[in-house]
Amino acid sequence: MEKLGHGADVESMVEQYGKKNTKVIDFSSNINPEMPGCIDSIIKSGADALSRYPDIEYRRVRKNISEYLDIDMEYVIPGNGATELIYLLMKNIGKKIAIINPTFSEYRRSATLSGLEVVDFVMDSKNGFRLDIDEIESRIDEFDSLFICNPNNPDGKLRDIYELMDIMKKHGKLLIVDETFIEFSPMYRERSLVSELETNRNLFIIRAATKFFGMPGIRLGYALTSNKEIIDGIYRYKEPWSLNSFADAASEYIFKESEYMERSRKYFEKEIEFMTSELKKIKGINVYETDTNFILIRLDGIKASEIRKILFERADILIRDASNFIGLDDSFIRVAVKKHEENIVLINAISSVMGLL
Amino acid sequence: MEKLGHGADVESMVEQYGKKNTKVIDFSSNINPEMPGCIDSIIKSGADALSRYPDIEYRRVRKNISEYLDIDMEYVIPGNGATELIYLLMKNIGKKIAIINPTFSEYRRSATLSGLEVVDFVMDSKNGFRLDIDEIESRIDEFDSLFICNPNNPDGKLRDIYELMDIMKKHGKLLIVDETFIEFSPMYRERSLVSELETNRNLFIIRAATKFFGMPGIRLGYALTSNKEIIDGIYRYKEPWSLNSFADAASEYIFKESEYMERSRKYFEKEIEFMTSELKKIKGINVYETDTNFILIRLDGIKASEIRKILFERADILIRDASNFIGLDDSFIRVAVKKHEENIVLINAISSVMGLL
């Protein structure tokens, strides 16, 4: 089986090092460490529906998401995680796609598997990962669509991309924005492009519901667009029943958890501040400012693969070796923000590894 | 949204007729009406794992299925229902596929969406849906692979396809068998081709775990083959995390439910006998002998769409209008075997509709 090189692959590490799964603290996957209180209702409701096929047209899921975001229900395409939608989209766009790197590797994998030609833009780590909009516009004829993750994985920056959106629209090109991590940010209302959907058919937004709500195992994501051709194209290729009963049920509850959502955002804001300032105190650690629930770090004096191995062996901590992102090298790691006590364990563990150098 | 014309679409009927979802007895989807006792353990175990990503390599699922079927773990490819595997297979086989009709429409849809050319063989209803192996062999040069469902949906017949397998192997062509309904049959051990996998790399078997175990909403299916090229090809295209935590957990429990499995098979054997003999008593009803958990019926004097509408409106019963299967016409309906009391309701309802003609 081909290794896709994602985070969260606790099982491979456990297999390799013969550890107990349950002991490992996983900082390699970027998930809210707290679930909303409605989890019991989701499980009960999903379990009650198990003996039936989920609605093949996902009426309830689409309605719930449309109410949460205050948009037309027809603009919502639910998926088995954001991943299914990324893959379906690639079958329905022009042959040349630009990707803003470093970023989530499934954009490129899905594009390539659909036979698309990929144009890479690389934001430079030495330049604070600045998004060069002038360069994009000057090369606009090289691609039909452009894929950006906002906030971006792995650097965590939530960018103001309104200007980019206007340029893309002006040139009649499709802007694809993965907003999977946007709900973790206090600025998500101002920076999300959801409110633009109604008037901009050159826009396609992807979201993974279950990272922010701390339940990635439930597999619920969605895409948003007012572009009728793309919507029809996606349903033309979409496999039936890709959502399970629990994902269907989750849509009924999670989006009503407004108190939980606000509490989560406040928690991440405060915890990011704490972790960033603590990590910065460690010698050999360079921390990138983040707006979401994970932190990109550049290390001096030790390789990403080395510190990953040491942290796993000595401290039962799994971090993300970020060296396989385009534009990064083996000095980069990425860590998620987890519970406060766990974050302290991580900081201390990194501190003691770096102190030995 | 394109209508795919499957059964189980209770929601569309409810929407159309303004009924309460919970009142409808769904005879249009072929699911075991009893779940195994381990369902509580599955839900608990799945819920406990929700905060993590499911294992991207599905080690536990593959191991559990390999032990259940006594085959090599490397031969097992788990999927989000059988559907995901049908679609992935189509990306990894020769350009010309033969399909034995009438049958499940997703074979054709997936083949067409992958750009394959489809050669149709049609078993004749007037001939008891006889499988004409001589015709297949005489046209063997017209296709690279052949897809058969066994027992077949919609006629329910479990065929002895060893001779067909030998012919395919001799000519170096791939035989694809969907055994989704085989576990419902008392003859499943003798007729399944699972034991041939080890020595036959021209064989690809598909199974949906969750129909037989009465939990289609959990979305678990699997494919089996010893063909390394196809396995590698499928993983090359497979999207990450397509299985949810509950499907992963289900694999740990359902295959150990041997008492439940035997009880289910005995139930269906007895209930099929009962339903077949009762239905045969009704004037204008022609029943096809079945080996699985659903029954194909040909009607005299009333159209499938008409009786479907009447049964839904008057008796809250949803049946499958089978007229959209290739080789059938508007005189065919399909009904699932459900709980004994429910089956009686169905028989009485059909009887009174037909009595009015």
Side-chain angles (χ1 to χ4, degrees), chain B residues 193-210:
Chain B
L193 298 187
V194 164
S195 58
E196 303 295 318
L197 286 165
E198 186 73 38
T199 54
N200 186 352
R201 62 186 301 284
N202 289 326
L203 185 58
F204 190 91
I205 299 174
I206 292 163
R207 283 192 175 179
T210 44

Side-chain angles (χ1 to χ4, degrees), chain B residues 81-266:
Chain B
T83 314
E84 184 194 359
L85 300 161
I86 296 171
Y87 279 77
L88 283 169
L89 176 66
M90 295 302 168
K91 299 187 168 84
N92 291 288
I93 53 176
K95 283 288 159 208
K96 287 182 280 185
I97 186 168
I99 296 175
I100 309 286
N101 293 287
T103 199
F104 186 47
S105 60
E106 292 295 325
Y107 309 150
R108 168 177 279 275
R109 180 173 184 257
S110 58
T112 307
L113 287 175
S114 279
L116 304 195
E117 190 186 308
V118 178
V119 175
D120 282 309
F121 288 94
V122 182
M123 300 184 293
D124 191 352
S125 64
K126 293 181 193 70
N127 203 349
F129 297 105
R130 196 179 73 84
L131 178 65
D132 189 341
I133 292 179
D134 293 340
E135 191 202 355
I136 294 170
E137 189 165 20
S138 74
R139 295 173 59 187
I140 198 102
D141 293 333
E142 294 179 29
F143 53 86
D144 308 303
S145 62
L146 183 135
F147 209 130
I148 185 166
C149 184
N150 199 35
N152 188 43
N153 171 10
D155 63 283
K157 206 83 211 135
L158 177 60
R159 295 175 172 82
D160 181 339
I161 56 169
Y162 276 88
E163 191 190 338
L164 178 63
M165 182 188 75
D166 290 338
I167 290 168
M168 295 293 287
K169 195 178 173 185
K170 187 177 81 186
H171 292 275
K173 312 269 173 169
L174 183 73
L175 177 64
I176 307 157
V177 190
D178 185 345
E179 293 193 349
T180 283
F181 296 104
I182 208 163
E183 286 151 303
F184 289 100
S185 165
M187 288 181 295
Y188 88 105
R189 274 181 231 276
E190 304 91 277
R191 294 282 165 91
S192 169
L193 298 187
V194 164
S195 58
E196 303 295 318
L197 286 165
E198 186 73 38
T199 54
N200 186 352
R201 62 186 301 284
N202 289 326
L203 185 58
F204 190 91
I205 299 174
I206 292 163
R207 283 192 175 179
T210 44
K211 278 180 204 286
F212 180 62
F213 292 97
M215 47 183 94
I218 219 163
R219 312 302 302 132
L220 175 63
Y222 52 94
L224 309 166
T225 186
S226 61
N227 192 316
K228 189 75 172 56
E229 273 168 63
I230 294 181
I231 294 171
D232 289 347
I234 284 181
Y235 283 118
R236 198 169 93 82
Y237 282 95
K238 198 170 189 334
E239 298 169 20
W241 312 294
S242 63
L243 271 77
N244 69 81
S245 302
F246 295 95
D248 190 325
S251 76
E252 192 78 9
Y253 297 97
I254 53 176
F255 303 116
K256 291 168 189 151
E257 287 273 0
S258 39
E259 205 185 299
Y260 159 89
M261 292 190 237
E262 286 312 317
R263 189 170 67 240
S264 287
R265 273 187 276 275
K266 284 205 182 96

Side-chain angles (χ1 to χ4, degrees), chain A residues 82 86 89 147 176-180 204-208 222-223:
Chain A
I86 296 170
L89 176 65
F147 209 130
I176 309 157
V177 190
D178 185 345
E179 292 191 350
T180 282
F204 190 91
I205 299 174
I206 293 163
R207 282 193 177 179
Y222 52 95

Side-chain angles (χ1 to χ4, degrees), chain A residues 3 11-12 15 50 53 57 59 80 87 109 211 216-217 219 235-236 238-239 241-242 244-245, chain B residues 3 11-12 15 50 53 57 59 80 87 109 211 216-217 219 235-236 238-239 241-242 245:
Chain A
K3 290 272 178 197
E11 289 80 3
S12 287
E15 197 172 69
L50 272 185
Y53 272 88
E57 295 185 20
R59 291 166 183 84
N80 178 28
Y87 278 77
R109 179 173 185 257
K211 279 179 203 285
R219 313 301 302 134
Y235 284 117
R236 199 169 92 83
K238 199 171 187 337
E239 298 169 19
W241 313 293
S242 63
N244 69 81
S245 302
Chain B
K3 290 272 177 197
E11 288 79 4
S12 286
E15 196 172 69
L50 273 185
Y53 272 87
E57 295 184 20
R59 291 168 184 85
N80 179 27
Y87 279 77
R109 180 173 184 257
K211 278 180 204 286
R219 312 302 302 132
Y235 283 118
R236 198 169 93 82
K238 198 170 189 334
E239 298 169 20
W241 312 294
S242 63
S245 302

Side-chain angles (χ1 to χ4, degrees), chain A residues 32-308:
Chain A
N32 194 333
E34 192 201 346
M35 277 191 205
C38 64
I39 184 69
D40 295 338
S41 307
I42 295 170
I43 290 164
K44 192 180 174 312
S45 166
D48 286 348
L50 272 185
S51 64
R52 300 189 295 275
Y53 272 88
D55 175 16
I56 200 165
E57 295 185 20
Y58 317 108
R59 291 166 183 84
R60 179 168 80 157
V61 182
R62 289 187 294 134
K63 184 169 162 291
N64 290 328
I65 294 168
S66 79
E67 285 171 3
Y68 168 53
L69 299 174
D70 193 22
I71 55 169
D72 192 319
M73 179 173 154
E74 298 305 311
Y75 299 174
V76 181
I77 312 166
N80 178 28
T83 315
E84 183 193 0
L85 301 160
I86 296 170
Y87 278 77
L88 284 168
L89 176 65
M90 296 301 168
K91 300 187 167 84
N92 292 287
I93 53 176
K95 282 289 159 208
K96 287 182 281 185
I97 186 168
I99 296 175
I100 309 286
N101 293 285
T103 199
F104 186 47
S105 60
E106 293 294 325
Y107 309 151
R108 167 178 280 273
R109 179 173 185 257
S110 58
T112 308
L113 286 175
S114 279
L116 304 195
E117 189 185 308
V118 178
V119 175
D120 282 309
F121 288 95
V122 183
M123 299 184 294
D124 191 350
S125 64
K126 293 182 193 69
N127 204 348
F129 298 105
R130 196 179 74 84
L131 178 66
D132 189 341
I133 293 180
D134 294 340
E135 191 201 355
I136 293 171
E137 189 164 20
S138 74
R139 295 173 59 186
I140 199 102
D141 294 335
E142 295 178 30
F143 52 87
D144 307 304
S145 62
L146 182 135
F147 209 130
I148 186 167
C149 185
N150 199 37
N152 188 43
N153 172 10
D155 63 283
K157 205 83 212 137
L158 177 60
R159 295 176 172 81
D160 181 338
I161 57 170
Y162 276 89
E163 191 191 339
L164 178 63
M165 183 187 75
D166 290 340
I167 290 169
M168 295 293 288
K169 196 178 171 185
K170 188 177 80 186
H171 291 276
K173 312 269 172 168
L174 183 72
L175 177 64
I176 309 157
V177 190
D178 185 345
E179 292 191 350
T180 282
F181 296 104
I182 207 162
E183 286 151 303
F184 289 100
S185 166
M187 288 180 295
Y188 88 106
R189 274 182 230 277
E190 304 92 276
R191 295 280 166 91
S192 170
L193 298 187
V194 164
S195 59
E196 303 295 319
L197 286 165
E198 187 72 39
T199 54
N200 185 352
R201 61 186 302 284
N202 289 325
L203 186 58
F204 190 91
I205 299 174
I206 293 163
R207 282 193 177 179
T210 43
K211 279 179 203 285
F212 179 63
F213 292 97
M215 46 183 96
I218 218 161
R219 313 301 302 134
L220 175 64
Y222 52 95
L224 309 166
T225 185
S226 61
N227 191 315
K228 189 76 172 55
E229 274 168 62
I230 293 180
I231 294 170
D232 289 347
I234 284 181
Y235 284 117
R236 199 169 92 83
Y237 283 94
K238 199 171 187 337
E239 298 169 19
W241 313 293
S242 63
L243 271 77
N244 69 81
S245 302
F246 296 95
D248 191 324
S251 77
E252 192 77 10
Y253 298 97
I254 54 175
F255 302 117
K256 291 168 189 150
E257 288 274 0
S258 39
E259 204 184 300
Y260 159 89
M261 292 191 240
E262 287 311 318
R263 190 170 66 242
S264 286
R265 272 187 276 276
K266 285 206 180 96
Y267 171 75
F268 285 105
E269 197 178 3
K270 203 174 129 233
E271 199 63 14
I272 280 287
E273 207 183 299
F274 165 73
M275 284 180 77
T276 306
S277 76
E278 290 299 310
L279 286 166
K280 276 182 177 171
K281 291 178 190 163
I282 303 170
K283 203 170 153 272
I285 289 272
N286 307 279
V287 182
Y288 288 85
E289 297 292 331
T290 179
D291 300 305
T292 183
N293 68 324
F294 52 84
I295 304 174
L296 184 68
I297 295 169
R298 188 169 53 74
L299 305 166
D300 296 328
I302 186 167
K303 282 188 182 173
S305 57
E306 283 169 350
I307 193 167
R308 179 171 180 263

